Amino acid sequence: MYFTLTTANVLFHFDYATEVFTPFIPPTALAGPLGVFYASDGNIWITYFLANKIAKFDVQTKHFTEYRVPLPGGAAPAVIRAESPKGTLWSTCLVGGSIARITMATGEITLLQDTLSSLPSENTVDGDGNVWYSTIGRGTLNKIDPVTNKVTQVAQPGILGLPLPAVSADLPIMYGPGNALWFTELANNRIGRYQL
């Protein structure tokens, strides 16, 4: 298992069999490694929240390759947990208000800009290969068609079922169980399910 210690600037590997922790230090000081994803290329991909980079960690050579995320939209890449189609990764960029699309073979990064106030937080992939992301600053679930890059927003119910424009402060979003998205609404103290 790989995980990050953001403030310590470390990527850790935990071996289940030996119960040994092995640290790996990113080449960029104060990078703020945050999101971690084991991708189809067999490598670990990491977001550098403070350094505005996305890194690939080769599990065989133990070597980091770093890619700069374009600014200002790419500020604070946070969660990298979506691959669709195979070979294409997606990361939320919290402060920049955008979604980064990463071509794994080349490291090329392009941005899909949302609004700065949206604060994209986490992402997931549904059963049809669509990428979904949550937002802290807006009460919507957001779907990206990975072929066309078209973004569709789904408004969430208001507080107590009232049609009020509310900021839900969504954090986690995951696909499944079932053909549904599951998400949290921090501001409303609710867990939501959106049936696809």
Side-chain angles (χ1 to χ4, degrees):
M1 171 179 65
Y2 285 88
F3 63 95
T4 58
L5 294 181
T6 305
T7 55
N9 204 52
V10 179
L11 171 70
F12 262 104
H13 175 260
F14 176 71
D15 188 302
Y16 291 113
T18 64
E19 297 186 351
V20 171
F21 291 90
T22 305
F24 299 97
I25 310 300
T28 297
L30 304 174
L34 184 59
V36 179
F37 185 74
Y38 177 70
S40 64
D41 64 354
N43 296 310
I44 304 298
W45 289 77
I46 311 149
T47 59
Y48 289 179
F49 187 76
L50 300 177
N52 299 311
K53 294 180 182 179
I54 292 174
K56 176 177 68 174
F57 178 74
D58 188 310
V59 298
Q60 302 300 320
T61 65
K62 313 303 185 203
H63 176 75
F64 288 88
T65 304
E66 299 177 336
Y67 306 96
R68 186 164 298 282
V69 183
L71 292 175
V79 173
I80 185 167
R81 199 174 57 211
E83 182 177 354
S84 183
K86 185 176 179 180
T88 302
L89 296 175
W90 301 81
S91 169
T92 58
C93 296
L94 183 71
V95 176
S98 70
I99 304 299
R101 178 182 177 129
I102 305 104
T103 303
M104 290 162 50
T106 63
E108 179 185 6
I109 298 173
T110 55
L111 298 178
L112 277 70
Q113 190 67 51
D114 200 317
T115 62
L116 282 177
S117 61
S118 64
L119 303 173
S121 51
E122 295 197 9
N123 58 15
T124 191
V125 178
D126 70 19
D128 293 325
N130 297 302
V131 177
W132 291 81
Y133 66 95
S134 56
T135 54
I136 297 172
R138 184 178 61 228
T140 61
L141 303 177
N142 310 278
K143 180 178 79 170
I144 302 172
D145 181 322
V147 175
T148 65
N149 289 341
K150 179 183 177 184
V151 178
T152 304
Q153 295 179 357
V154 177
Q156 295 168 230
I159 299 172
L160 301 175
L162 300 174
L164 300 174
V167 174
S168 303
D170 296 337
L171 294 173
I173 183 170
M174 288 294 297
Y175 174 70
N179 188 29
L181 296 171
W182 296 81
F183 55 95
T184 62
E185 293 184 350
L186 179 65
N188 298 327
N189 197 34
R190 300 189 297 196
I191 294 174
R193 181 186 72 182
Y194 178 64
Q195 191 67 42
L196 299 175

Short mmCIF file of all heavy atoms in Angstrom, two decimals, residues 99-149:
data_model
loop_
_atom_site.label_atom_id
_atom_site.label_comp_id
_atom_site.label_asym_id
_atom_site.label_seq_id
_atom_site.Cartn_x
_atom_site.Cartn_y
_atom_site.Cartn_z
N ILE A 99 -10.19 20.94 -13.41
CA ILE A 99 -9.89 19.52 -13.44
C ILE A 99 -8.73 19.33 -14.40
O ILE A 99 -8.76 19.84 -15.53
CB ILE A 99 -11.10 18.69 -13.91
CG1 ILE A 99 -12.32 18.98 -13.04
CG2 ILE A 99 -10.78 17.20 -13.93
CD1 ILE A 99 -12.16 18.62 -11.59
N ALA A 100 -7.70 18.62 -13.96
CA ALA A 100 -6.54 18.35 -14.81
C ALA A 100 -6.70 16.99 -15.48
O ALA A 100 -7.06 16.01 -14.83
CB ALA A 100 -5.26 18.38 -13.98
N ARG A 101 -6.43 16.96 -16.78
CA ARG A 101 -6.45 15.72 -17.55
C ARG A 101 -5.00 15.40 -17.90
O ARG A 101 -4.30 16.21 -18.50
CB ARG A 101 -7.28 15.91 -18.82
CG ARG A 101 -7.32 14.69 -19.71
CD ARG A 101 -8.12 14.94 -20.97
NE ARG A 101 -8.08 13.79 -21.84
CZ ARG A 101 -9.13 13.20 -22.38
NH1 ARG A 101 -10.34 13.70 -22.16
NH2 ARG A 101 -9.00 12.15 -23.15
N ILE A 102 -4.55 14.21 -17.49
CA ILE A 102 -3.15 13.82 -17.66
C ILE A 102 -3.04 12.64 -18.62
O ILE A 102 -3.66 11.60 -18.40
CB ILE A 102 -2.51 13.42 -16.31
CG1 ILE A 102 -2.67 14.54 -15.28
CG2 ILE A 102 -1.05 13.04 -16.49
CD1 ILE A 102 -3.74 14.27 -14.27
N THR A 103 -2.27 12.82 -19.68
CA THR A 103 -1.97 11.71 -20.58
C THR A 103 -0.77 10.97 -20.01
O THR A 103 0.33 11.52 -19.95
CB THR A 103 -1.67 12.22 -22.00
OG1 THR A 103 -2.79 12.98 -22.47
CG2 THR A 103 -1.40 11.07 -22.95
N MET A 104 -0.97 9.74 -19.55
CA MET A 104 0.06 9.03 -18.81
C MET A 104 1.32 8.77 -19.65
O MET A 104 2.44 8.83 -19.14
CB MET A 104 -0.50 7.72 -18.26
CG MET A 104 -1.50 7.93 -17.14
SD MET A 104 -2.57 6.51 -16.79
CE MET A 104 -1.40 5.19 -16.66
N ALA A 105 1.15 8.51 -20.93
CA ALA A 105 2.30 8.15 -21.77
C ALA A 105 3.28 9.31 -21.94
O ALA A 105 4.49 9.10 -22.05
CB ALA A 105 1.82 7.67 -23.14
N THR A 106 2.76 10.54 -21.93
CA THR A 106 3.61 11.71 -22.19
C THR A 106 3.74 12.65 -21.01
O THR A 106 4.64 13.49 -20.98
CB THR A 106 3.04 12.52 -23.37
OG1 THR A 106 1.74 13.01 -23.01
CG2 THR A 106 2.94 11.66 -24.63
N GLY A 107 2.82 12.56 -20.05
CA GLY A 107 2.80 13.50 -18.95
C GLY A 107 2.16 14.84 -19.30
O GLY A 107 2.16 15.77 -18.50
N GLU A 108 1.57 14.93 -20.49
CA GLU A 108 0.92 16.18 -20.91
C GLU A 108 -0.31 16.43 -20.04
O GLU A 108 -1.12 15.52 -19.80
CB GLU A 108 0.49 16.11 -22.37
CG GLU A 108 -0.22 17.36 -22.85
CD GLU A 108 -0.75 17.25 -24.26
OE1 GLU A 108 -0.68 16.16 -24.85
OE2 GLU A 108 -1.26 18.27 -24.76
N ILE A 109 -0.44 17.66 -19.56
CA ILE A 109 -1.55 18.04 -18.70
C ILE A 109 -2.34 19.17 -19.35
O ILE A 109 -1.78 20.19 -19.74
CB ILE A 109 -1.05 18.49 -17.31
CG1 ILE A 109 -0.31 17.33 -16.62
CG2 ILE A 109 -2.20 18.98 -16.45
CD1 ILE A 109 0.35 17.72 -15.32
N THR A 110 -3.65 18.96 -19.46
CA THR A 110 -4.56 20.01 -19.94
C THR A 110 -5.62 20.23 -18.87
O THR A 110 -5.91 19.33 -18.07
CB THR A 110 -5.22 19.63 -21.28
OG1 THR A 110 -5.88 18.36 -21.13
CG2 THR A 110 -4.19 19.52 -22.39
N LEU A 111 -6.18 21.42 -18.85
CA LEU A 111 -7.15 21.77 -17.82
C LEU A 111 -8.54 21.99 -18.39
O LEU A 111 -8.69 22.55 -19.47
CB LEU A 111 -6.72 23.05 -17.10
CG LEU A 111 -5.39 23.01 -16.34
CD1 LEU A 111 -5.10 24.38 -15.73
CD2 LEU A 111 -5.38 21.92 -15.29
N LEU A 112 -9.55 21.54 -17.63
CA LEU A 112 -10.94 21.88 -17.89
C LEU A 112 -11.32 22.85 -16.78
O LEU A 112 -11.39 22.46 -15.61
CB LEU A 112 -11.82 20.64 -17.83
CG LEU A 112 -11.90 19.77 -19.08
CD1 LEU A 112 -10.60 19.05 -19.30
CD2 LEU A 112 -13.03 18.78 -18.95
N GLN A 113 -11.51 24.10 -17.13
CA GLN A 113 -11.74 25.14 -16.12
C GLN A 113 -13.19 25.16 -15.66
O GLN A 113 -14.11 25.20 -16.48
CB GLN A 113 -11.35 26.50 -16.68
CG GLN A 113 -11.33 27.60 -15.63
CD GLN A 113 -10.23 27.40 -14.60
OE1 GLN A 113 -9.08 27.20 -14.94
NE2 GLN A 113 -10.60 27.44 -13.33
N ASP A 114 -13.38 25.10 -14.37
CA ASP A 114 -14.68 25.35 -13.74
C ASP A 114 -14.58 26.78 -13.20
O ASP A 114 -13.68 27.53 -13.60
CB ASP A 114 -14.92 24.32 -12.63
CG ASP A 114 -16.40 24.18 -12.27
OD1 ASP A 114 -17.08 25.22 -12.16
OD2 ASP A 114 -16.87 23.05 -12.07
N THR A 115 -15.42 27.17 -12.26
CA THR A 115 -15.28 28.50 -11.66
C THR A 115 -14.31 28.42 -10.48
O THR A 115 -14.17 27.37 -9.85
CB THR A 115 -16.63 29.02 -11.16
OG1 THR A 115 -17.13 28.14 -10.14
CG2 THR A 115 -17.63 29.10 -12.29
N LEU A 116 -13.65 29.52 -10.17
CA LEU A 116 -12.72 29.54 -9.04
C LEU A 116 -13.43 29.21 -7.74
O LEU A 116 -12.87 28.56 -6.86
CB LEU A 116 -12.04 30.91 -8.94
CG LEU A 116 -10.91 31.18 -9.90
CD1 LEU A 116 -10.39 32.60 -9.72
CD2 LEU A 116 -9.78 30.18 -9.74
N SER A 117 -14.68 29.62 -7.61
CA SER A 117 -15.40 29.40 -6.36
C SER A 117 -15.95 27.98 -6.22
O SER A 117 -16.45 27.61 -5.17
CB SER A 117 -16.57 30.39 -6.24
OG SER A 117 -17.48 30.21 -7.31
N SER A 118 -15.82 27.16 -7.27
CA SER A 118 -16.38 25.80 -7.20
C SER A 118 -15.58 24.89 -6.26
O SER A 118 -16.11 24.02 -5.61
CB SER A 118 -16.45 25.17 -8.60
OG SER A 118 -15.14 25.02 -9.14
N LEU A 119 -14.26 25.08 -6.20
CA LEU A 119 -13.38 24.28 -5.34
C LEU A 119 -13.57 22.78 -5.56
O LEU A 119 -14.03 22.05 -4.67
CB LEU A 119 -13.61 24.62 -3.87
CG LEU A 119 -13.41 26.10 -3.48
CD1 LEU A 119 -13.84 26.33 -2.03
CD2 LEU A 119 -11.99 26.53 -3.71
N PRO A 120 -13.20 22.26 -6.74
CA PRO A 120 -13.33 20.82 -6.99
C PRO A 120 -12.52 20.01 -5.98
O PRO A 120 -11.36 20.32 -5.72
CB PRO A 120 -12.75 20.65 -8.40
CG PRO A 120 -12.83 22.01 -9.01
CD PRO A 120 -12.64 22.97 -7.88
N SER A 121 -13.16 18.99 -5.39
CA SER A 121 -12.48 18.28 -4.30
C SER A 121 -12.07 16.85 -4.65
O SER A 121 -10.89 16.53 -4.60
CB SER A 121 -13.34 18.30 -3.03
OG SER A 121 -14.65 17.88 -3.30
N GLU A 122 -13.00 15.96 -4.97
CA GLU A 122 -12.63 14.57 -5.25
C GLU A 122 -13.27 14.12 -6.55
O GLU A 122 -14.17 14.76 -7.07
CB GLU A 122 -13.05 13.66 -4.10
CG GLU A 122 -12.31 13.94 -2.81
CD GLU A 122 -12.40 12.80 -1.80
OE1 GLU A 122 -12.90 11.70 -2.15
OE2 GLU A 122 -11.97 13.01 -0.66
N ASN A 123 -12.79 12.96 -7.07
CA ASN A 123 -13.34 12.45 -8.32
C ASN A 123 -13.46 10.93 -8.31
O ASN A 123 -12.90 10.25 -7.45
CB ASN A 123 -12.53 12.94 -9.53
CG ASN A 123 -11.07 12.54 -9.47
OD1 ASN A 123 -10.65 11.69 -8.70
ND2 ASN A 123 -10.26 13.16 -10.30
N THR A 124 -14.21 10.42 -9.28
CA THR A 124 -14.46 8.98 -9.41
C THR A 124 -14.87 8.70 -10.85
O THR A 124 -15.11 9.63 -11.62
CB THR A 124 -15.54 8.53 -8.40
OG1 THR A 124 -15.59 7.10 -8.36
CG2 THR A 124 -16.90 9.08 -8.77
N VAL A 125 -14.97 7.42 -11.21
CA VAL A 125 -15.39 7.01 -12.55
C VAL A 125 -16.59 6.09 -12.42
O VAL A 125 -16.58 5.16 -11.61
CB VAL A 125 -14.25 6.28 -13.31
CG1 VAL A 125 -14.71 5.81 -14.69
CG2 VAL A 125 -13.03 7.17 -13.44
N ASP A 126 -17.65 6.34 -13.22
CA ASP A 126 -18.82 5.48 -13.15
C ASP A 126 -18.67 4.27 -14.05
O ASP A 126 -17.64 4.09 -14.71
CB ASP A 126 -20.11 6.27 -13.44
CG ASP A 126 -20.24 6.72 -14.90
OD1 ASP A 126 -19.58 6.17 -15.80
OD2 ASP A 126 -21.05 7.66 -15.15
N GLY A 127 -19.69 3.43 -14.08
CA GLY A 127 -19.63 2.19 -14.85
C GLY A 127 -19.56 2.38 -16.35
O GLY A 127 -19.19 1.45 -17.08
N ASP A 128 -19.91 3.57 -16.84
CA ASP A 128 -19.83 3.86 -18.27
C ASP A 128 -18.56 4.61 -18.65
O ASP A 128 -18.40 5.03 -19.80
CB ASP A 128 -21.04 4.69 -18.71
CG ASP A 128 -22.35 3.90 -18.60
OD1 ASP A 128 -22.33 2.68 -18.86
OD2 ASP A 128 -23.38 4.51 -18.24
N GLY A 129 -17.67 4.82 -17.67
CA GLY A 129 -16.41 5.50 -17.96
C GLY A 129 -16.46 7.00 -17.83
O GLY A 129 -15.47 7.68 -18.14
N ASN A 130 -17.59 7.56 -17.40
CA ASN A 130 -17.67 9.01 -17.18
C ASN A 130 -16.94 9.38 -15.90
O ASN A 130 -16.95 8.62 -14.92
CB ASN A 130 -19.13 9.46 -17.08
CG ASN A 130 -19.89 9.22 -18.37
OD1 ASN A 130 -19.51 9.72 -19.42
ND2 ASN A 130 -20.95 8.45 -18.28
N VAL A 131 -16.31 10.53 -15.90
CA VAL A 131 -15.61 11.04 -14.72
C VAL A 131 -16.54 11.99 -13.99
O VAL A 131 -17.13 12.88 -14.60
CB VAL A 131 -14.30 11.76 -15.13
CG1 VAL A 131 -13.61 12.35 -13.91
CG2 VAL A 131 -13.37 10.80 -15.86
N TRP A 132 -16.67 11.80 -12.68
CA TRP A 132 -17.49 12.68 -11.84
C TRP A 132 -16.61 13.35 -10.82
O TRP A 132 -15.65 12.75 -10.33
CB TRP A 132 -18.56 11.87 -11.12
CG TRP A 132 -19.62 11.32 -12.03
CD1 TRP A 132 -19.53 10.19 -12.80
CD2 TRP A 132 -20.93 11.84 -12.25
NE1 TRP A 132 -20.70 9.99 -13.49
CE2 TRP A 132 -21.58 10.99 -13.16
CE3 TRP A 132 -21.60 12.95 -11.75
CZ2 TRP A 132 -22.88 11.23 -13.59
CZ3 TRP A 132 -22.90 13.18 -12.19
CH2 TRP A 132 -23.53 12.33 -13.09
N TYR A 133 -16.93 14.60 -10.47
CA TYR A 133 -16.21 15.26 -9.40
C TYR A 133 -17.16 16.06 -8.52
O TYR A 133 -18.21 16.51 -8.95
CB TYR A 133 -15.07 16.14 -9.93
CG TYR A 133 -15.47 17.35 -10.75
CD1 TYR A 133 -15.60 18.60 -10.16
CD2 TYR A 133 -15.66 17.24 -12.12
CE1 TYR A 133 -15.94 19.72 -10.92
CE2 TYR A 133 -16.00 18.35 -12.88
CZ TYR A 133 -16.13 19.58 -12.27
OH TYR A 133 -16.46 20.68 -13.03
N SER A 134 -16.76 16.18 -7.26
CA SER A 134 -17.53 16.94 -6.28
C SER A 134 -16.93 18.33 -6.13
O SER A 134 -15.78 18.57 -6.51
CB SER A 134 -17.55 16.21 -4.94
OG SER A 134 -16.23 15.97 -4.48
N THR A 135 -17.73 19.24 -5.58
CA THR A 135 -17.26 20.61 -5.36
C THR A 135 -17.62 21.05 -3.95
O THR A 135 -18.71 20.77 -3.46
CB THR A 135 -17.90 21.59 -6.37
OG1 THR A 135 -19.32 21.47 -6.32
CG2 THR A 135 -17.40 21.33 -7.78
N ILE A 136 -16.70 21.75 -3.32
CA ILE A 136 -16.96 22.28 -1.98
C ILE A 136 -17.80 23.54 -2.05
O ILE A 136 -18.65 23.80 -1.21
CB ILE A 136 -15.62 22.55 -1.25
CG1 ILE A 136 -14.84 21.25 -1.05
CG2 ILE A 136 -15.86 23.25 0.09
CD1 ILE A 136 -13.44 21.44 -0.53
N GLY A 137 -17.59 24.34 -3.09
CA GLY A 137 -18.21 25.67 -3.16
C GLY A 137 -19.51 25.75 -3.93
O GLY A 137 -20.03 26.84 -4.16
N ARG A 138 -20.06 24.59 -4.37
CA ARG A 138 -21.31 24.63 -5.15
C ARG A 138 -22.06 23.33 -4.90
O ARG A 138 -21.46 22.28 -4.79
CB ARG A 138 -20.99 24.79 -6.63
CG ARG A 138 -22.21 24.95 -7.51
CD ARG A 138 -21.84 25.16 -8.97
NE ARG A 138 -21.11 24.03 -9.50
CZ ARG A 138 -19.97 24.15 -10.20
NH1 ARG A 138 -19.45 25.32 -10.44
NH2 ARG A 138 -19.36 23.08 -10.66
N GLY A 139 -23.36 23.37 -4.85
CA GLY A 139 -24.17 22.18 -4.60
C GLY A 139 -24.50 21.42 -5.86
O GLY A 139 -25.68 21.26 -6.21
N THR A 140 -23.48 20.93 -6.58
CA THR A 140 -23.72 20.14 -7.79
C THR A 140 -22.78 18.93 -7.83
O THR A 140 -21.69 18.96 -7.27
CB THR A 140 -23.47 20.95 -9.08
OG1 THR A 140 -22.11 21.39 -9.11
CG2 THR A 140 -24.40 22.15 -9.18
N LEU A 141 -23.25 17.88 -8.49
CA LEU A 141 -22.39 16.78 -8.90
C LEU A 141 -22.06 17.05 -10.36
O LEU A 141 -22.92 17.51 -11.12
CB LEU A 141 -23.10 15.44 -8.76
CG LEU A 141 -23.62 15.12 -7.36
CD1 LEU A 141 -24.37 13.79 -7.37
CD2 LEU A 141 -22.49 15.10 -6.35
N ASN A 142 -20.83 16.78 -10.78
CA ASN A 142 -20.36 17.24 -12.08
C ASN A 142 -19.79 16.07 -12.88
O ASN A 142 -18.88 15.39 -12.42
CB ASN A 142 -19.28 18.31 -11.87
CG ASN A 142 -19.76 19.36 -10.88
OD1 ASN A 142 -20.47 20.27 -11.24
ND2 ASN A 142 -19.39 19.21 -9.62
N LYS A 143 -20.35 15.85 -14.06
CA LYS A 143 -19.96 14.73 -14.92
C LYS A 143 -19.15 15.22 -16.11
O LYS A 143 -19.54 16.18 -16.78
CB LYS A 143 -21.19 13.97 -15.42
CG LYS A 143 -20.85 12.79 -16.33
CD LYS A 143 -22.08 12.03 -16.77
CE LYS A 143 -22.79 12.75 -17.88
NZ LYS A 143 -23.87 11.92 -18.49
N ILE A 144 -18.02 14.57 -16.36
CA ILE A 144 -17.21 14.86 -17.54
C ILE A 144 -17.30 13.68 -18.50
O ILE A 144 -17.04 12.53 -18.11
CB ILE A 144 -15.73 15.07 -17.18
CG1 ILE A 144 -15.57 16.22 -16.18
CG2 ILE A 144 -14.89 15.34 -18.43
CD1 ILE A 144 -14.16 16.36 -15.64
N ASP A 145 -17.66 13.95 -19.74
CA ASP A 145 -17.56 12.94 -20.79
C ASP A 145 -16.10 12.91 -21.22
O ASP A 145 -15.59 13.90 -21.76
CB ASP A 145 -18.47 13.33 -21.96
CG ASP A 145 -18.43 12.32 -23.10
OD1 ASP A 145 -17.35 11.77 -23.40
OD2 ASP A 145 -19.50 12.08 -23.69
N PRO A 146 -15.36 11.81 -20.98
CA PRO A 146 -13.93 11.80 -21.27
C PRO A 146 -13.58 11.83 -22.75
O PRO A 146 -12.42 12.03 -23.11
CB PRO A 146 -13.44 10.50 -20.61
CG PRO A 146 -14.63 9.62 -20.58
CD PRO A 146 -15.82 10.52 -20.42
N VAL A 147 -14.57 11.65 -23.62
CA VAL A 147 -14.32 11.71 -25.07
C VAL A 147 -14.43 13.15 -25.55
O VAL A 147 -13.58 13.64 -26.29
CB VAL A 147 -15.30 10.79 -25.83
CG1 VAL A 147 -15.11 10.95 -27.34
CG2 VAL A 147 -15.11 9.34 -25.41
N THR A 148 -15.47 13.86 -25.11
CA THR A 148 -15.72 15.22 -25.60
C THR A 148 -15.26 16.30 -24.62
O THR A 148 -15.20 17.47 -24.98
CB THR A 148 -17.22 15.43 -25.85
OG1 THR A 148 -17.91 15.33 -24.59
CG2 THR A 148 -17.76 14.39 -26.82
N ASN A 149 -14.96 15.91 -23.37
CA ASN A 149 -14.63 16.85 -22.27
C ASN A 149 -15.81 17.72 -21.87
O ASN A 149 -15.65 18.71 -21.15
CB ASN A 149 -13.43 17.74 -22.60
CG ASN A 149 -12.13 16.97 -22.61
OD1 ASN A 149 -12.03 15.88 -22.05
ND2 ASN A 149 -11.12 17.52 -23.26
#
